[in-house]
Amino acid sequence: MTMFDYIETIFCIYNVINLNSDKKQDGNLKAFAIILYNYVTQLASYNNINLTEIKRPNEIQMAPLYDYVQSKNIQIYALTSMHDGTLDFKKEGVLETYILSQIFHIFNLHV
């Protein structure tokens, strides 16, 4: 897995979530889409990847997501154990864990 593959996967996931938030007029989903967009643009910038180069695929390849979680040893939590008011997003890794846990929940993925 390369960082490009991971960023491509996250960007495609962002596009799906953003589109669904608009279709469903779901404010919570839209808020998460914005958080996800900021996360992926920061990753892309840090890794010198231009998001405009990413083409919309017919289907999202989830393998890079699983590979990233495994290689970074990131714990995915159930949403019931991650209350927004109790999370300290200033601590390193908390925001990323929150984002990835949300993605796994939204897409009904299992580690």
Side-chain angles (χ1 to χ4, degrees):
M1 177 213 64
T2 66
M3 276 308 287
F4 180 85
D5 295 333
Y6 174 68
I7 291 169
E8 178 181 47
T9 296
I10 295 296
F11 188 62
C12 292
I13 289 171
Y14 155 74
N15 284 322
V16 168
I17 290 173
N18 190 49
L19 182 64
N20 284 339
S21 71
D22 291 341
K23 283 183 181 178
K24 295 178 182 179
Q25 297 182 341
D26 184 331
N28 289 331
L29 199 56
K30 187 61 160 187
F32 179 66
I34 292 167
I35 291 169
L36 188 54
Y37 179 77
N38 290 334
Y39 170 72
V40 75
T41 54
Q42 183 181 18
L43 273 178
S45 175
Y46 181 79
N47 289 281
N48 296 318
I49 294 172
N50 184 350
L51 292 175
T52 60
E53 294 175 7
I54 297 175
K55 306 294 185 240
R56 181 170 284 171
N58 292 333
E59 60 184 41
I60 299 172
Q61 298 300 316
M62 292 298 196
L65 179 66
Y66 282 100
D67 291 345
Y68 184 83
V69 167
Q70 184 179 22
S71 70
K72 298 288 185 179
N73 199 26
I74 297 172
Q75 177 69 44
I76 301 298
Y77 294 96
L79 295 186
T80 55
S81 65
M82 297 183 74
H83 305 288
D84 292 339
T86 63
L87 299 175
D88 184 359
F89 291 117
K90 293 179 183 176
K91 285 186 181 176
E92 185 176 342
V94 172
L95 180 60
E96 184 171 59
T97 298
Y98 174 78
I99 288 169
L100 294 173
S101 294
Q102 288 278 2
I103 289 171
F104 273 70
H105 173 74
I106 290 168
F107 286 88
N108 199 26
L109 303 174
H110 304 281
V111 181

